[in-house]
Amino acid sequence: MVLEVDADQVKRCSQAIIEYLEKQRSKTNRLIEKSEPIMIEVNFNGIPEIKGAPKLHKISVPHQIYFEDIDICLITKDPLHKYTDLLEAEKEKNPILKQVSLVLSISNIKRKYKEFEAKRKLCNEFDLFLADDCIIPSLPAVLGKSFFEHKKLPLPIKISKTLNSPVEKALKTATLMFRPTQPTSSSPQSTVSQLTTGPTVSIRIGNSKMSVSELSENILSACQELEKFVPKELNIQSLFLKSTNSLPFPFYASIPKKPIVDESE
């Protein structure tokens, strides 16, 4: 089932939040400012009851979610030089790869970022973390809780002979994560878990420097896929568009079905 979202209302909300963020920027007289993330806030009619391992759902959108001013850290398996050499060879031909300003291997992190403060500093230094999907299970213990608290857990990508396609695809991928309601030792927290247990989740869908049409298209594309990932026992009650410090802009609300009354009784 696809959510029946009004495209005109999505466009109005997209324009409203972009204008709001621009006014906020003007008030502070900041001539140079990094882009602000824009999220879809999804409100359910209850708390998802998830058993077993965390479930990550990827949603492809037509336009890059992150602006070109972000700093990306790429985490790879060993040997590190294989991936740093690959990055240097490819980034001159693909400007997107210039956003990857640091490459670390797992052994790198274990050696250089042992202490909590070092891990916290690493977490704060970058806007986005990407990681080779084959090392994802090893990362929770290596990265520590700062990455969980700041919702900067690495997005898994498939690295083969090139970085171009995986990185481009990641920048056009929104993620929805459901974590187990009661994690057990047999199903540890995944390094890509982004949710605390609750009836609301935010999905990063764009940034403040996008055009209204680009943001609208990303939102509509995500809404076409969103319903299929919702647990069967839940319904989406409402959808809002918001940024870190903005007001919520509503663009969808479900209409409760009236109970069927048997008039024969």
Side-chain angles (χ1 to χ4, degrees):
M1 178 181 176
V2 177
L3 286 175
E4 295 182 2
V5 175
D6 187 315
D8 289 335
Q9 179 64 10
V10 168
K11 188 173 182 179
R12 285 192 289 270
C13 282
S14 298
Q15 183 168 350
I17 194 169
I18 289 174
E19 289 179 352
Y20 174 86
L21 293 173
E22 176 59 26
K23 286 179 182 178
Q24 294 301 108
R25 186 195 67 80
S26 299
K27 285 181 181 179
T28 57
N29 293 318
R30 286 179 287 184
L31 298 178
I32 300 176
E33 181 184 286
K34 295 192 73 170
S35 60
E36 290 198 43
I38 295 176
M39 287 81 69
I40 297 174
E41 186 177 274
V42 186
N43 296 301
F44 300 106
N45 63 339
I47 297 174
E49 300 225 351
I50 306 299
K51 297 178 181 179
K55 301 183 187 305
L56 173 73
H57 304 291
K58 297 180 181 181
I59 303 173
S60 296
V61 294
H63 305 288
Q64 185 171 317
I65 294 171
Y66 305 88
F67 192 62
E68 61 187 20
D69 59 0
I70 67 166
D71 291 317
I72 300 173
C73 176
L74 174 63
I75 304 174
T76 70
K77 59 185 178 181
D78 293 299
L80 177 62
H81 69 82
K82 174 182 176 181
Y83 301 97
T84 54
D85 291 348
L86 184 60
L87 177 64
E88 289 301 316
E90 293 187 328
K91 71 180 182 181
E92 292 303 320
K93 297 178 181 179
N94 189 345
I96 286 179
L97 292 181
K98 293 182 180 180
Q99 295 171 251
V100 181
S101 52
L102 180 65
V103 183
L104 294 172
S105 67
I106 282 195
S107 61
N108 243 187
I109 296 174
K110 289 179 178 178
R111 186 172 63 253
K112 294 183 178 180
Y113 301 92
K114 290 181 180 180
E115 303 300 324
F116 170 80
E117 183 60 28
K119 292 177 181 179
R120 187 190 65 80
K121 186 176 179 181
L122 175 65
C123 178
N124 292 335
E125 192 174 346
F126 294 91
D127 303 293
L128 177 66
F129 291 84
L130 304 176
D132 193 334
D133 63 352
C134 68
I135 62 170
I136 287 293
S138 306
L139 289 179
V142 175
L143 293 175
K145 66 179 183 179
S146 289
F147 285 77
F148 286 91
E149 292 172 350
H150 292 85
K151 297 183 179 180
K152 286 189 178 180
L153 295 163
L155 180 66
I157 62 174
K158 289 185 178 294
I159 302 177
S160 54
K161 296 180 180 179
T162 179
L163 289 173
N164 286 322
S165 179
V167 172
E168 285 186 15
K169 187 175 180 180
L171 296 179
K172 294 181 180 180
T173 299
T175 57
L176 172 64
M177 167 62 70
F178 292 110
R179 281 164 56 178
T181 309
Q182 295 180 334
T184 64
S185 58
S186 61
S187 61
Q189 297 293 331
S190 166
T191 187
V192 291
S193 298
Q194 301 291 334
L195 293 185
T196 53
T197 302
T200 302
V201 57
S202 293
I203 304 171
R204 186 164 180 166
I205 199 65
N207 66 81
S208 58
K209 294 188 178 181
M210 297 179 81
S211 68
V212 171
S213 62
E214 288 174 337
L215 180 57
S216 299
E217 287 170 10
N218 274 9
I219 295 166
L220 291 170
S221 180
C223 288
Q224 289 179 349
E225 301 293 319
L226 186 57
E227 187 77 3
K228 70 173 68 172
F229 301 130
V230 178
K232 292 180 180 180
E233 73 274 11
L234 295 181
N235 292 315
I236 294 175
Q237 281 196 323
S238 58
L239 298 171
F240 295 83
L241 204 58
K242 69 185 299 294
S243 189
T244 309
N245 299 308
S246 78
L247 300 169
F249 295 86
F251 65 89
Y252 172 83
S254 64
I255 301 174
K257 295 181 179 179
K258 293 183 179 180
I260 298 175
V261 178
D262 188 347
E263 297 180 353
S264 64
E265 294 183 357

